[in-house]
Amino acid sequence: MDKTKKPLPSIVWPLAALGLILLFNLIFTDGFFSITIKNGHLFGSLIDILKRCSPTMIMAVAMTYVIATSGIDISIGSILAISGSVAALLVWGGNTSYLSAGADVQPAALFFIIVVPLLVSMVLGAFNGLMVSVVGLQPFIATLILMVAGRGMAQLLTGGKVLNFSHKGFEFVGRGYLLGIPFPFIIAVLVIALAALLTKLTPMGLYIQAVGGNKTASHYSGINTRMVIFLVYIFSGFCAGIAGLILTSDITGADAGFMGLYMELDAILAVVIGGTAMSGGKYNLKGTIVGVLIIQSLTTTILTRGVPPEYTLLVKAVVVLAVLIIQSKRTSDFIEKTTAKVSKAGAA
Amino acid sequence: MSDNLLEAIGVSKSFPGVKALSNVNLQLGRGEIHGLMGENGAGKSTLIKAITGVYPRDNGQILLDGVEIHPTSPLDAEALGISTVFQEVNLLNNLSVAENLAIGRQPTKKTGTLDWKKMNEDARRILQKFEIDIDVTELLGNYSIAIQQMVAIARALELDSKLLILDEPTSSLNLDEVEKLFKQMRRLKEEGHSIIFVTHFLDQVFEITDKITVLRNGEYVGLFNTADMTKMDLVSKLMGKEIDELHEFEKLSKEQKHKEHQEVLLETEKLGKNGYMAPIDIDIAKGDIVGLGGLLGSGRTEIAKMLFGLVHTDNGGLKIKGIHSKIRSPKQALMNQLALCPEDRKEESIIPDLSVKENIILALQVKQGWFKPLSAKKKEEIAQKYIDLLNIKTPSSEQAIKNLSGGNQQKVIVARWLATNPNVLIVDEPTRGIDVGAKTEIQKLLLKLSGEGMGVLFISSEIEEVVRCSNKVYILQDRKVVNELHDDQINEQQIMHAIAAKGDS
Amino acid sequence: MISAAKLGFSRRNLPIIATMTVFVVLYMIGGMTFRGFLTNRVFFNLLTDNAVLGITAVGMTFVIFTGGIDLSVASVVSTTAMIVAVMTQAGVPNLFVIICAILFGTLLGLVMGFIIHYFDAPAFIVTLSGQFFARGFGYILSLDSVPIQYDFYQKASSFGIRIGNGKLTLPAIILLVVIALGIFISKKTKLGRNIYALGGNEQSALLMGLPVGKTKIIVYTMSGFCASLAGFVYTFYTLSGYGLAAIGLEMDAIASAVIGGTLMTGGYGTIFGTLIGTLIQGVIKTIISFHGELSAYWIKIFVGGMLLSFILLQRVFVAGSGKRD
């Protein structure tokens, strides 16, 4: 009696896109899937994709939740730069005098190099959260403030210079391998696990979607909607902080002016490609993960195929538009109509 | 040329799960002011929207000047000579009053640029007719809703349409403003225009209209000459008396109505908020179903919001099981074993993209707190329990609630609150806009719950259900509790008298 | 009743008055701190140095008036300059170069506006892919800096009308013309009013019979045109095209609008405010460069601080605007 077809899960489209890219490489790119072991580390294009996408992955995970509350956080690129700069500064023992003199520096303990930037990032996230939830600013505007000022602050910390360093312990964060796997990717997996735990083992996941879907109804149901929004932005700051540590450690330096520039846009893109609507109310964490992988494997494919890297952006633009149009209501209406017509014609 | 300017014949309109209009007629003569009356969910707005092309009708004909019309949008209707002022003011708060009157047809100078001076002069002239003397260059949003409403009406009048539809235009106007509006309406009538006037104010209908069409529950009740009607007649037409197939049901409720004195679960002491609700003293005891009787806007929903901490009261207090309690937020209400199924299902209740299961367990989870998440198994158990108990029709508990019919959505919301095991359940229009089957199911459920010792505060604009279910009814007028009826006093006549009392006395 | 409006101090003018005050105060601070600050030269340089930002910001402001956003403008500026550079290098006639350059952004804006309207797609993502497209296209033209050899551009860069010890340069003139046109469109034409109406309430605008879809498409086209024009002007300074130019300019343009009193939610704001918002950013830059010891990144911190205070001011203004009878 009930003829309603089960709708395709929303992850199908992004997965298909990823599959297509991988299939393309399977056929046309020699050795794309080969993984070798050198010095106990895994090497290969796939491993490279996993390593490179880690910082974006970590930020996109948090962005998924932010967008699900019908918000947006465009300050994470700047928070990333601040986190990295603080870390670099701590490696140098907290001062930049070494830049002029060859003075001895006493690096801070690794614990502080890791923890202080993360705390700073969370405080910045809390500022965003406060602006959105309590002051009631539009999320875009609220986070625009830190996006603009934050980069300046990062440059202030580093004295406007690129802070290079060498620190065996800290370098492991971005460059190390654990069990042959790139450490950044392990961090990304841990962040995903943490996010999944927080949203599954507490009612947070439910609340985030409830608040994004209908704030009034959530309030009527007793949810502390402000707290939910506040916490989500703190988590976003935290994740940007981790990404900052990875990038800084990987390049053994903090380039406050350019680190993480436009990365917020990549994160948002990954979320949207992954099937989370910008209007909020429902998130798709798996989709986001696939979205990040799509963007990175696209980039890596272009690089390994010897296509000039300048085409990356063009391809990205086309892919984004295609995904957007496929997911649009007009397209689904169109498909519905034509299939209805076809089935009608078939029945007749 | 036809005798009637507008004629609707057998118009029907369904939404998924709801029959909003079924076989409704309307006959509007030339130069006539026609009242369109009905309680919430009666189908007034749907009919207006069908006439103005907001929705296409499913069945039936709409004739203008004897010619069938199929407007596809309010704009389209405007081109046909039907202009409408919708209930929510559809103007632009960010533009000036003058611009709101003129935009889309602004006067221009010879150079093609806008002639602001003329626009402002025109605006002053137009508003003068309404005896409104305001700065027309000020932003519309800076004026009261009443002024905004008048501007919207003035804009519609300027279109010089054959037919003007005013949907609840007076709900935010004071007496003086209403008089000014009526003066304009009479002027238009004299000029031969017709007006459909939607309102729930009885006095106004009798003052201004020539004829009245009454709708109830999406159905056509009848067309009446205003002069031939008494206020009492109209109230009974509005409230109606549904053919009740459920005699058994009546018996059940009768049995329950005679109860021993029970523990008082919730009691208010002069609880009120200035300019919102006059201080009220009501109490709800174990096993009570307390009805609130009164017309739209009399303060029914306001009481629910005060009790549930959604508005902050500024005087009086309330006692829960005899203990003074402060309720400043829904969370506190929840922790005090109160529950509220709000009036507006779409805006205040459902979380559209979430599943039936998630919608059901939401409030219970909040009550449990952050650190006691319900297990997946427990969630499924609870969801299944209420899906069975309330006979919620859904393919599975994983279905997004937005795909359910109105009645089933409402049941999910009731389930959300029952799951929190409340002592007092406040239901605000739980049966609005849902089909008859679901309606009686919900009524039965309320009776069953009260039989189990729950206190229920039952808000409904349909008088039979109040009569059928309640053992105590508070009568509201103008945001005041004016009367209180008990057990045997509760019948439709008594309630209608009490509600209509105001104007007649 | 004496209406506040009659005193010329309506609440609605509050944001722009605040913006003007801040501009004057900043300018005075500069004047009192540094010698040679209060000269024609510094003032006209302010216009010249911020012409690209100002022209871009006018288009952006119109988009924000409708409640939208255009993230593509910075890359359009850079790629337009690149188009000019590459085409002049190929020896294409200058008039044709100019037409192509201006058409690039205008057409991109048109396409983006169409997609946003037709597919009801979020402007944020559509213009973001517009950004990728324009930037990518620029990279394809050339990854290196391409010099512009034509005389026209050399002359354009040195052209100017002397006023005292200052010089009203070509970029400054174009900026002022664009601002004047913007003010004209926003205040004197039906299009301008429809743009405000759209941002005020799209649903209402539709019910009032205004051409909502058309207006939306026009606004993004206008923004694309402004960005292209700004890119063209950009070549007068650099006399070259470079793919990485003007990074982050879109956010500066948004900041200009917001500081100038435009509400991101749409419906409120002025083009004149955007000019002042641009000049405030310019004064901050000038003060910091006069100061000598403060580094360039202080600009961002100051601009961020400005944004915060203006947004909070607007917040108070919106929340505090009581209803009157």
Side-chain angles (χ1 to χ4, degrees):
Chain A
M1 147 211 126
D2 198 49
K3 280 202 300 183
T4 46
K5 280 171 286 176
K6 226 182 156 164
L8 287 172
S10 51
I11 191 124
V12 166
W13 289 113
L15 264 183
L18 183 60
L20 224 58
I21 296 169
L22 294 181
L23 187 70
F24 174 86
N25 283 304
L26 184 65
I27 299 168
F28 296 105
T29 316
D30 290 336
F32 192 84
F33 284 82
S34 82
I35 294 173
T36 54
I37 301 180
K38 283 184 207 156
N39 309 328
H41 303 160
L42 296 174
F43 276 96
S45 294
L46 292 181
I47 301 298
D48 187 59
I49 290 174
L50 295 186
K51 185 189 172 196
R52 282 182 191 278
C53 76
S54 299
T56 314
M57 179 89 82
I58 291 166
M59 296 203 291
V61 166
M63 187 67 84
T64 309
Y65 299 122
V66 174
I67 290 181
T69 63
S70 71
I72 197 161
D73 186 352
I74 58 167
S75 71
I76 52 173
S78 295
I79 294 181
L80 180 156
I82 291 178
S83 161
S85 302
V86 172
L89 209 58
L90 286 168
V91 173
W92 283 107
N95 69 70
T96 54
S97 58
Y98 72 95
L99 289 165
S100 42
D104 276 345
V105 283
Q106 206 57 40
L110 184 58
F111 176 77
F112 289 109
I113 298 177
I114 306 279
V115 170
V116 175
L118 291 183
L119 283 179
V120 170
S121 306
M122 285 166 80
V123 168
L124 295 171
F127 171 83
N128 286 333
L130 215 63
M131 286 291 146
V132 176
S133 69
V134 180
V135 183
L137 296 183
Q138 236 194 318
F140 182 86
I141 277 289
T143 53
L144 175 67
I145 296 167
L146 260 187
M147 181 198 198
V148 174
R151 194 156 293 282
M153 276 146 63
Q155 286 169 304
L156 179 67
L157 286 168
T158 57
K161 308 195 174 64
V162 179
L163 278 192
N164 292 314
F165 57 80
S166 126
H167 185 292
K168 274 270 155 350
F170 183 47
E171 278 169 32
F172 185 79
V173 173
R175 296 179 146 188
Y177 284 81
L178 196 65
L179 306 170
I181 301 165
F183 194 60
F185 184 66
I186 292 178
I187 299 177
V189 171
L190 287 177
V191 168
I192 293 169
L194 174 72
L197 281 182
L198 286 177
T199 49
K200 292 261 160 70
L201 291 190
T202 74
M204 195 61 187
L206 178 64
Y207 292 174
I208 287 172
Q209 302 187 66
V211 169
N214 188 339
K215 205 166 150 192
T216 312
S218 305
H219 175 59
Y220 274 52
S221 303
I223 296 174
N224 187 344
T225 52
R226 282 184 179 176
M227 181 58 82
V228 171
I229 293 172
F230 184 62
L231 290 177
V232 160
Y233 282 91
I234 292 183
F235 186 64
S236 180
F238 171 73
C239 286
I242 296 179
L245 292 181
I246 294 176
L247 278 182
T248 312
S249 156
D250 188 22
I251 58 173
T252 62
D255 180 359
F258 286 94
M259 267 172 69
L261 198 67
Y262 285 124
M263 269 180 81
E264 62 279 345
L265 298 182
D266 268 347
I268 294 166
L269 209 56
V271 173
V272 175
I273 290 180
T276 299
M278 285 197 80
S279 46
K282 195 86 196 159
Y283 61 75
N284 185 343
L285 189 61
K286 288 176 202 137
T288 298
I289 295 167
V290 176
V292 174
L293 290 174
I294 289 175
I295 296 177
Q296 188 59 50
S297 45
L298 206 64
T299 314
T300 305
T301 303
I302 289 169
L303 286 175
T304 49
R305 291 206 47 78
V307 176
E310 52 267 32
Y311 283 89
T312 319
L313 281 173
L314 273 194
V315 176
K316 225 159 128 182
V318 171
V319 170
V320 173
L321 265 192
V323 172
L324 204 64
I325 287 172
I326 287 172
Q327 290 177 353
S328 80
K329 195 176 170 305
R330 196 174 274 269
T331 311
S332 59
D333 284 355
F334 177 77
I335 292 171
E336 212 167 88
K337 252 189 221 156
T338 27
T339 47
K341 257 186 210 155
V342 168
S343 62
K344 234 185 202 168
Chain B
M1 220 179 183
S2 155
D3 291 343
N4 289 321
L5 174 68
L6 184 89
E7 209 165 341
I9 305 161
V11 173
S12 298
K13 175 74 200 171
S14 292
F15 297 104
V18 200
K19 188 114 186 166
L21 282 182
S22 115
N23 216 5
V24 166
N25 303 323
L26 182 78
Q27 286 177 350
L28 174 70
R30 290 170 203 285
E32 175 180 303
I33 299 182
H34 193 110
L36 181 59
M37 303 280 297
E39 276 286 272
N40 276 335
K44 295 168 294 185
S45 291
T46 314
L47 180 58
I48 297 299
K49 285 176 177 164
I51 293 172
T52 54
V54 176
Y55 319 127
R57 54 185 185 266
D58 297 342
N59 282 309
Q61 286 180 303
I62 294 175
L63 310 174
L64 184 71
D65 278 328
V67 180
E68 180 153 16
I69 55 167
H70 293 276
T72 53
S73 70
L75 263 189
D76 200 18
E78 219 168 86
L80 292 166
I82 304 173
S83 58
T84 315
V85 179
F86 289 98
Q87 199 170 350
E88 312 84 44
V89 182
N90 274 300
L91 292 180
L92 298 158
N93 285 342
N94 62 324
L95 302 184
S96 76
V97 172
E99 228 181 333
N100 268 290
L101 285 168
I103 196 161
R105 45 174 193 271
Q106 298 106 314
T108 48
K109 294 180 191 165
K110 271 178 235 143
T111 49
T113 59
L114 296 179
D115 189 345
W116 284 91
K117 213 172 139 222
K118 180 158 188 314
M119 195 192 301
N120 292 336
E121 278 164 10
D122 288 350
R124 276 183 213 107
R125 185 177 44 73
I126 292 166
L127 291 180
Q128 215 127 61
K129 291 190 215 161
F130 289 87
E131 293 162 48
I132 298 174
D133 184 23
I134 54 170
D135 180 0
V136 295
T137 63
E138 184 61 57
L139 300 188
L140 182 74
N142 287 345
Y143 289 105
S144 65
I145 301 287
I147 299 266
Q148 294 180 22
Q149 186 71 262
M150 294 298 261
V151 172
I153 292 166
R155 179 179 165 93
L157 293 184
E158 280 308 295
L159 290 170
D160 201 33
S161 315
K162 291 185 249 186
L163 168 59
L164 176 67
I165 300 176
L166 302 173
D167 190 359
E168 301 273 9
T170 56
S171 48
S172 53
L173 305 187
N174 64 31
L175 280 179
D176 198 33
E177 290 159 335
V178 170
E179 255 333 293
K180 286 175 188 165
L181 173 63
F182 282 1
K183 205 171 130 192
Q184 290 307 309
M185 285 168 66
R186 288 194 190 99
R187 178 179 64 83
L188 285 171
K189 182 181 154 181
E190 274 158 31
E191 289 170 10
H193 300 267
S194 299
I195 299 173
I196 295 177
F197 179 53
V198 182
T199 185
H200 58 266
F201 291 105
L202 299 181
D203 294 331
Q204 294 179 3
V205 179
F206 282 100
E207 184 181 343
I208 191 87
T209 64
D210 304 305
K211 286 190 177 168
I212 301 172
T213 292
V214 177
L215 303 182
R216 187 181 344 117
N217 258 328
E219 284 173 25
Y220 177 69
V221 175
L223 170 69
F224 309 98
N225 273 322
T226 311
D228 303 340
M229 293 257 274
T230 67
K231 208 172 275 180
M232 191 59 209
D233 285 341
L234 183 55
V235 172
S236 70
K237 298 273 186 265
L238 286 173
M239 301 277 182
K241 186 167 175 59
E242 273 181 348
I243 305 147
D244 191 1
E245 308 142 354
L246 300 148
H247 296 292
E248 182 197 348
F249 180 82
E250 293 258 297
K251 249 189 280 162
L252 175 72
S253 66
K254 283 276 157 9
E255 277 161 23
Q256 275 195 13
K257 277 180 183 173
H258 299 283
K259 272 177 294 212
E260 324 248 309
H261 198 69
Q262 291 273 17
E263 182 193 6
V264 173
L265 296 173
L266 176 74
E267 190 181 355
T268 65
E269 294 173 327
K270 302 253 165 287
L271 188 72
K273 180 177 165 68
N274 238 332
Y276 185 76
M277 188 78 208
I280 53 164
D281 286 293
I282 61 172
D283 56 88
I284 300 166
K286 222 169 170 175
D288 266 349
I289 298 187
V290 176
L292 294 183
L295 293 173
L296 191 66
S298 57
R300 301 180 300 210
T301 301
E302 284 73 7
I303 290 181
K305 287 195 169 170
M306 290 199 309
L307 294 178
F308 209 64
L310 285 160
V311 294
H312 290 181
T313 53
D314 52 16
N315 48 47
L318 59 80
K319 285 202 271 191
I320 307 247
K321 287 193 171 178
I323 302 161
H324 279 281
S325 309
K326 274 229 165 355
I327 294 182
R328 310 283 288 174
S329 72
K331 176 83 187 287
Q332 283 174 353
L334 180 64
M335 298 319 275
N336 277 300
Q337 313 288 102
L338 298 187
L340 166 69
C341 304
E343 180 183 19
D344 190 329
R345 198 163 52 233
K346 184 162 156 276
E347 295 292 325
E348 300 166 343
S349 294
I350 65 162
I351 317 252
D353 288 321
L354 292 190
S355 67
V356 168
K357 177 162 60 181
E358 288 166 319
N359 269 288
I360 289 179
I361 59 100
L362 191 61
L364 176 62
Q365 177 62 68
V366 172
K367 197 175 173 194
Q368 293 246 328
W370 285 85
F371 302 106
K372 283 191 190 154
L374 296 160
S375 68
K377 193 166 149 257
K378 183 93 184 151
K379 284 184 199 169
E380 184 58 37
E381 260 174 41
I382 295 169
Q384 277 311 331
K385 178 181 155 193
Y386 286 101
I387 289 173
D388 294 342
L389 184 72
L390 304 186
N391 192 19
I392 297 171
K393 291 191 191 70
T394 172
S396 81
S397 64
E398 303 290 344
Q399 179 77 303
I401 192 172
K402 65 179 175 191
N403 297 332
L404 266 53
S405 73
N408 283 305
Q409 287 183 356
Q410 189 64 47
K411 287 182 189 169
V412 171
I413 300 307
V414 173
R416 175 191 293 170
W417 289 106
L418 291 184
T420 67
N421 194 21
N423 286 330
V424 176
L425 174 68
I426 307 169
V427 284
D428 193 351
E429 301 283 4
T431 63
R432 178 192 295 172
I434 64 178
D435 56 78
V436 179
K439 207 172 211 169
T440 40
E441 278 182 82
I442 285 181
Q443 291 166 2
K444 266 190 197 161
L445 176 73
L446 294 179
L447 284 166
K448 181 163 165 272
L449 292 169
S450 74
E452 289 163 11
M454 198 180 284
V456 177
L457 182 66
F458 183 37
I459 303 175
S460 170
S461 49
E462 280 177 55
I463 206 152
E464 325 90 344
E465 29 175 50
V466 176
V467 168
R468 192 183 293 156
C469 302
S470 316
N471 60 319
K472 178 158 75 178
V473 176
Y474 291 102
I475 303 294
L476 302 176
Q477 275 179 6
D478 279 343
R479 313 210 159 182
K480 274 199 296 274
V481 174
V482 293
N483 209 338
E484 184 179 331
L485 305 174
H486 290 270
D487 305 313
D488 292 338
Q489 297 171 304
I490 300 174
N491 59 55
E492 287 173 30
Q493 290 292 318
Q494 287 273 14
I495 293 179
M496 284 184 216
H497 267 299
I499 291 173
K502 179 189 165 196
D504 289 342
S505 61
Chain C
M1 182 188 77
I2 299 172
S3 113
K6 279 181 192 127
L7 300 174
F9 191 76
S10 160
R11 277 202 96 98
R12 126 174 81 132
N13 293 329
L14 209 60
I16 187 75
I17 291 170
T19 312
M20 295 277 289
T21 312
V22 168
F23 175 66
V24 171
V25 167
L26 278 176
Y27 208 78
M28 286 302 145
I29 291 174
M32 282 186 288
T33 319
F34 309 110
R35 267 155 47 114
F37 198 92
L38 291 178
T39 55
N40 283 356
R41 199 174 54 145
V42 171
F43 182 77
F44 285 116
N45 280 351
L46 205 56
L47 291 178
T48 307
D49 295 342
N50 296 289
V52 170
L53 173 59
I55 295 166
T56 315
V58 169
M60 180 69 86
T61 307
F62 276 113
V63 173
I64 298 177
F65 281 168
T66 66
I69 193 162
D70 187 351
L71 296 177
S72 71
V73 291
S75 55
V76 170
V77 167
S78 137
T79 300
T80 305
M82 181 60 87
I83 289 172
V84 171
V86 171
M87 286 181 88
T88 52
Q89 211 172 40
V92 178
N94 193 33
L95 184 66
F96 193 63
V97 172
I98 296 173
I99 291 172
C100 285
I102 300 293
L103 268 185
F104 170 69
T106 314
L107 284 180
L108 183 67
L110 179 73
V111 171
M112 291 191 302
F114 176 78
I115 293 172
I116 291 165
H117 166 60
Y118 188 78
F119 291 102
D120 199 17
F124 192 93
I125 301 292
V126 174
T127 57
L128 177 58
S129 57
Q131 180 197 94
F132 292 156
F133 175 82
R135 190 69 73 183
F137 188 61
Y139 289 161
I140 289 171
L141 290 178
S142 170
L143 282 176
D144 306 313
S145 176
V146 181
I148 298 170
Q149 309 285 6
Y150 280 16
D151 264 0
F152 171 84
Y153 296 86
Q154 317 278 355
K155 278 182 194 151
S157 75
S158 56
F159 173 83
I161 302 163
R162 289 227 153 262
I163 300 174
N165 66 349
K167 192 162 86 167
L168 190 62
T169 57
L170 195 54
I173 293 170
I174 295 177
L175 170 66
L176 293 177
V177 169
V178 169
I179 293 279
L181 258 175
I183 293 174
F184 175 80
I185 291 172
S186 70
K187 297 213 154 143
K188 294 282 183 184
T189 66
K190 288 194 178 184
L191 169 68
R193 304 321 293 174
N194 290 345
I195 289 172
Y196 279 99
L198 180 53
N201 185 336
E202 188 169 336
Q203 201 54 40
S204 291
L206 208 59
L207 282 175
M208 290 167 98
L210 306 178
V212 167
K214 199 174 102 188
T215 308
K216 227 185 235 180
I217 294 173
I218 290 178
V219 152
Y220 287 93
T221 313
M222 274 163 68
S223 177
F225 168 80
C226 285
S228 258
L229 183 63
F232 178 63
V233 170
Y234 192 69
T235 58
F236 302 167
Y237 302 87
T238 57
L239 294 177
S240 66
Y242 180 47
L244 276 170
I247 285 216
L249 185 74
E250 70 278 7
M251 292 301 161
D252 293 340
I254 293 171
S256 287
V258 171
I259 293 175
T262 296
L263 239 52
M264 281 303 286
T265 37
Y268 297 90
T270 58
I271 298 295
F272 181 70
T274 298
L275 172 66
I276 305 296
T278 305
L279 291 182
I280 285 179
Q281 296 188 57
V283 172
I284 293 173
K285 279 182 218 160
T286 313
I287 288 179
I288 283 166
S289 69
F290 262 75
H291 189 278
E293 281 173 29
L294 280 179
S295 309
Y297 46 78
W298 278 101
I299 296 167
K300 289 174 194 152
I301 297 175
F302 278 127
V303 171
M306 282 290 154
L307 267 176
L308 176 62
S309 32
F310 276 101
I311 290 160
L312 290 181
L313 179 85
Q314 282 174 357
R315 186 83 204 144
V316 173
F317 155 74
V318 171
S321 68
K323 303 273 180 217
R324 314 186 327 189
D325 282 297

